[in-house]
Structure formats: structure tokens, C-alpha cells
Amino acid sequence: MTRRILLIEDNRANMDLARYLLEAAGFICEEALDGEAGLLAARRSAPRLVVCDLQLPGIDGFEVMRVLRADPGLSGIPIVAVTAYAMVGDRDRIIAAGFDGYVAKPLDPRKFAAQIEAFLDAPAPHPAAHDKTIPLGQDQDG
């Protein structure tokens, strides 16, 4: 089973950190620096998981998620928001919008790969149920 992940992140330092952590854990990463490039990459490679920043140039992460969910060939791919949005209610709003999970920035290098791994191990998502979320301020262990 492939461990190919698409990272959509416009900040090069954040992209490099996420990629380094995931590749060190055995993932194969493809990257896109904006939403449009992310959609093209998803259509081209059909990754097992998409890790998507919300604040992107051009189309934002919410629109990326909506387009992927509307594509019958890609709608079942889990999409995890990775964002600096960390205000009360942001997590719930992100999950309600259709993301399968949420990881807050700054990334915790000790936990990030395991957090992402949990989404690959999860049962296939369905539109009404997003049960593999990471609550704001918490990690998989607690």
C-alpha cells in the first residue's frame, strides 16, 4: 500500500519541515506551493492523503477541499488541514467544512508524522463522519 502524500503549503520553510518529517517516517511526498498546483498534482498522482494549508495564494485550502470532494475520482482521499488557525471554534469550523482532520501550526516535530499516519490507518472517510480529528491543543496521545 502506497504512502504517497500530497503536501500543499505556500511557505517554503513549513513545506520543507513537513516534508523532512514525513519522509523520515517513510512517506513519499509530492508538493505543491499553491491551491491550483495542488489540484493538478492530486489529479495526476491520486495520493493516499492530502495535507493542505488553509491560507494559500489563489484558491485557499477550503476551495481545494471542496474541489477534491466534488471529484468522484478523488472524493475519498482524506484531507487534513494544517493551519495556524487556532482560535476557539476554528477546529470545529474546519471539520464542518469537510476536512477529515486538523493539525495546528507550529508543527510538533516529535508528533507530526504519527498524527498524519493516523489518517492513513483510518477507515475510508465518508462525507458526514469525520471521526479521526485532532482536537485543538491536543495530540493523538492526549
Side-chain angles (χ1 to χ4, degrees):
M1 182 178 299
T2 182
R3 292 169 54 88
R4 181 175 306 281
I5 293 178
L6 172 60
L7 301 172
I8 307 173
E9 169 64 66
D10 64 317
N11 179 289
R12 177 47 67 186
N14 289 340
M15 174 73 82
D16 289 346
L17 176 60
R19 183 180 196 128
Y20 173 79
L21 294 170
L22 293 171
E23 287 182 345
F27 292 97
I28 300 166
C29 297
E30 181 172 1
E31 59 184 55
L33 294 171
D34 61 48
E36 290 89 354
L39 290 173
L40 290 172
R43 290 179 182 123
R44 181 179 60 250
S45 66
R48 285 272 324 281
L49 181 99
V50 173
V51 176
C52 187
D53 185 22
L54 295 182
Q55 297 175 296
L56 296 167
I59 64 171
D60 67 11
F62 288 100
E63 184 62 19
V64 168
M65 183 271 309
R66 284 189 285 272
V67 171
L68 291 175
R69 293 287 186 239
D71 185 319
L74 302 173
S75 64
I77 296 172
I79 307 170
V80 178
V82 178
T83 182
Y85 288 145
M87 301 300 292
V88 173
D90 283 339
R91 178 199 162 277
D92 293 337
R93 181 175 61 88
I94 290 164
I95 299 304
F99 285 90
D100 296 288
Y102 168 94
V103 176
K105 291 179 186 174
L107 302 179
D108 183 337
R110 297 165 299 163
K111 298 177 182 173
F112 181 63
Q115 290 171 315
I116 298 305
E117 179 81 41
F119 293 100
L120 289 178
D121 294 339
H126 22 74
H130 302 286
D131 58 356
K132 291 296 285 185
T133 61
I134 300 169
L136 180 62
Q138 295 184 5
D139 58 42
Q140 293 284 318
D141 299 322

PDB file of all heavy atoms in Angstrom, residues 78 118-126 131-132:
ATOM      1  N   PRO A  78      -8.537  11.226   2.089  1.00  0.00           N
ATOM      2  CA  PRO A  78      -8.580  12.043   3.303  1.00  0.00           C
ATOM      3  C   PRO A  78      -7.806  13.340   3.105  1.00  0.00           C
ATOM      4  O   PRO A  78      -6.753  13.353   2.457  1.00  0.00           O
ATOM      5  CB  PRO A  78      -7.899  11.175   4.363  1.00  0.00           C
ATOM      6  CG  PRO A  78      -7.865   9.797   3.797  1.00  0.00           C
ATOM      7  CD  PRO A  78      -7.883   9.938   2.307  1.00  0.00           C
ATOM      8  N   ALA A 118      -2.001   8.453  11.398  1.00  0.00           N
ATOM      9  CA  ALA A 118      -3.319   8.063  11.915  1.00  0.00           C
ATOM     10  C   ALA A 118      -4.404   8.212  10.857  1.00  0.00           C
ATOM     11  O   ALA A 118      -5.360   7.439  10.848  1.00  0.00           O
ATOM     12  CB  ALA A 118      -3.666   8.889  13.149  1.00  0.00           C
ATOM     13  N   PHE A 119      -4.252   9.164   9.958  1.00  0.00           N
ATOM     14  CA  PHE A 119      -5.262   9.350   8.914  1.00  0.00           C
ATOM     15  C   PHE A 119      -5.154   8.297   7.831  1.00  0.00           C
ATOM     16  O   PHE A 119      -6.153   7.943   7.212  1.00  0.00           O
ATOM     17  CB  PHE A 119      -5.163  10.756   8.321  1.00  0.00           C
ATOM     18  CG  PHE A 119      -5.547  11.804   9.318  1.00  0.00           C
ATOM     19  CD1 PHE A 119      -4.580  12.501   9.999  1.00  0.00           C
ATOM     20  CD2 PHE A 119      -6.872  12.054   9.602  1.00  0.00           C
ATOM     21  CE1 PHE A 119      -4.919  13.453  10.939  1.00  0.00           C
ATOM     22  CE2 PHE A 119      -7.222  13.002  10.543  1.00  0.00           C
ATOM     23  CZ  PHE A 119      -6.246  13.704  11.207  1.00  0.00           C
ATOM     24  N   LEU A 120      -3.970   7.758   7.593  1.00  0.00           N
ATOM     25  CA  LEU A 120      -3.823   6.670   6.626  1.00  0.00           C
ATOM     26  C   LEU A 120      -4.372   5.367   7.181  1.00  0.00           C
ATOM     27  O   LEU A 120      -4.836   4.518   6.438  1.00  0.00           O
ATOM     28  CB  LEU A 120      -2.351   6.483   6.254  1.00  0.00           C
ATOM     29  CG  LEU A 120      -1.745   7.567   5.399  1.00  0.00           C
ATOM     30  CD1 LEU A 120      -0.273   7.272   5.143  1.00  0.00           C
ATOM     31  CD2 LEU A 120      -2.482   7.716   4.087  1.00  0.00           C
ATOM     32  N   ASP A 121      -4.315   5.200   8.488  1.00  0.00           N
ATOM     33  CA  ASP A 121      -4.810   3.987   9.124  1.00  0.00           C
ATOM     34  C   ASP A 121      -6.314   4.016   9.354  1.00  0.00           C
ATOM     35  O   ASP A 121      -6.911   3.001   9.677  1.00  0.00           O
ATOM     36  CB  ASP A 121      -4.117   3.777  10.481  1.00  0.00           C
ATOM     37  CG  ASP A 121      -2.636   3.488  10.318  1.00  0.00           C
ATOM     38  OD1 ASP A 121      -2.220   3.063   9.227  1.00  0.00           O
ATOM     39  OD2 ASP A 121      -1.894   3.706  11.290  1.00  0.00           O
ATOM     40  N   ALA A 122      -6.912   5.194   9.206  1.00  0.00           N
ATOM     41  CA  ALA A 122      -8.339   5.357   9.483  1.00  0.00           C
ATOM     42  C   ALA A 122      -9.170   4.682   8.401  1.00  0.00           C
ATOM     43  O   ALA A 122      -8.738   4.548   7.259  1.00  0.00           O
ATOM     44  CB  ALA A 122      -8.690   6.836   9.551  1.00  0.00           C
ATOM     45  N   PRO A 123     -10.386   4.268   8.747  1.00  0.00           N
ATOM     46  CA  PRO A 123     -11.291   3.763   7.715  1.00  0.00           C
ATOM     47  C   PRO A 123     -11.554   4.857   6.688  1.00  0.00           C
ATOM     48  O   PRO A 123     -11.392   6.031   6.982  1.00  0.00           O
ATOM     49  CB  PRO A 123     -12.576   3.425   8.483  1.00  0.00           C
ATOM     50  CG  PRO A 123     -12.273   3.610   9.914  1.00  0.00           C
ATOM     51  CD  PRO A 123     -10.971   4.297  10.059  1.00  0.00           C
ATOM     52  N   ALA A 124     -11.937   4.457   5.499  1.00  0.00           N
ATOM     53  CA  ALA A 124     -12.230   5.437   4.447  1.00  0.00           C
ATOM     54  C   ALA A 124     -13.240   6.459   4.950  1.00  0.00           C
ATOM     55  O   ALA A 124     -14.241   6.105   5.564  1.00  0.00           O
ATOM     56  CB  ALA A 124     -12.776   4.726   3.215  1.00  0.00           C
ATOM     57  N   PRO A 125     -12.970   7.732   4.710  1.00  0.00           N
ATOM     58  CA  PRO A 125     -13.879   8.766   5.197  1.00  0.00           C
ATOM     59  C   PRO A 125     -15.182   8.763   4.427  1.00  0.00           C
ATOM     60  O   PRO A 125     -15.236   8.317   3.288  1.00  0.00           O
ATOM     61  CB  PRO A 125     -13.105  10.058   4.938  1.00  0.00           C
ATOM     62  CG  PRO A 125     -12.204   9.725   3.801  1.00  0.00           C
ATOM     63  CD  PRO A 125     -11.861   8.272   3.955  1.00  0.00           C
ATOM     64  N   HIS A 126     -16.213   9.225   5.056  1.00  0.00           N
ATOM     65  CA  HIS A 126     -17.454   9.467   4.352  1.00  0.00           C
ATOM     66  C   HIS A 126     -17.902  10.872   4.700  1.00  0.00           C
ATOM     67  O   HIS A 126     -17.566  11.392   5.753  1.00  0.00           O
ATOM     68  CB  HIS A 126     -18.534   8.432   4.632  1.00  0.00           C
ATOM     69  CG  HIS A 126     -18.375   7.670   5.897  1.00  0.00           C
ATOM     70  ND1 HIS A 126     -18.608   8.183   7.137  1.00  0.00           N
ATOM     71  CD2 HIS A 126     -17.977   6.395   6.103  1.00  0.00           C
ATOM     72  CE1 HIS A 126     -18.389   7.265   8.055  1.00  0.00           C
ATOM     73  NE2 HIS A 126     -17.998   6.191   7.460  1.00  0.00           N
ATOM     74  N   ASP A 131     -14.305  11.249  11.952  1.00  0.00           N
ATOM     75  CA  ASP A 131     -14.033  10.803  13.311  1.00  0.00           C
ATOM     76  C   ASP A 131     -12.554  10.731  13.665  1.00  0.00           C
ATOM     77  O   ASP A 131     -12.213  10.430  14.781  1.00  0.00           O
ATOM     78  CB  ASP A 131     -14.678   9.439  13.559  1.00  0.00           C
ATOM     79  CG  ASP A 131     -14.195   8.377  12.587  1.00  0.00           C
ATOM     80  OD1 ASP A 131     -13.414   8.707  11.678  1.00  0.00           O
ATOM     81  OD2 ASP A 131     -14.600   7.226  12.750  1.00  0.00           O
ATOM     82  N   LYS A 132     -11.657  11.006  12.740  1.00  0.00           N
ATOM     83  CA  LYS A 132     -10.228  10.952  13.049  1.00  0.00           C
ATOM     84  C   LYS A 132      -9.672  12.377  13.115  1.00  0.00           C
ATOM     85  O   LYS A 132      -8.789  12.757  12.377  1.00  0.00           O
ATOM     86  CB  LYS A 132      -9.475  10.136  12.000  1.00  0.00           C
ATOM     87  CG  LYS A 132      -9.781   8.674  12.020  1.00  0.00           C
ATOM     88  CD  LYS A 132      -9.350   8.023  13.325  1.00  0.00           C
ATOM     89  CE  LYS A 132      -7.866   7.857  13.357  1.00  0.00           C
ATOM     90  NZ  LYS A 132      -7.356   7.141  14.501  1.00  0.00           N
TER      91      LYS A 132
END
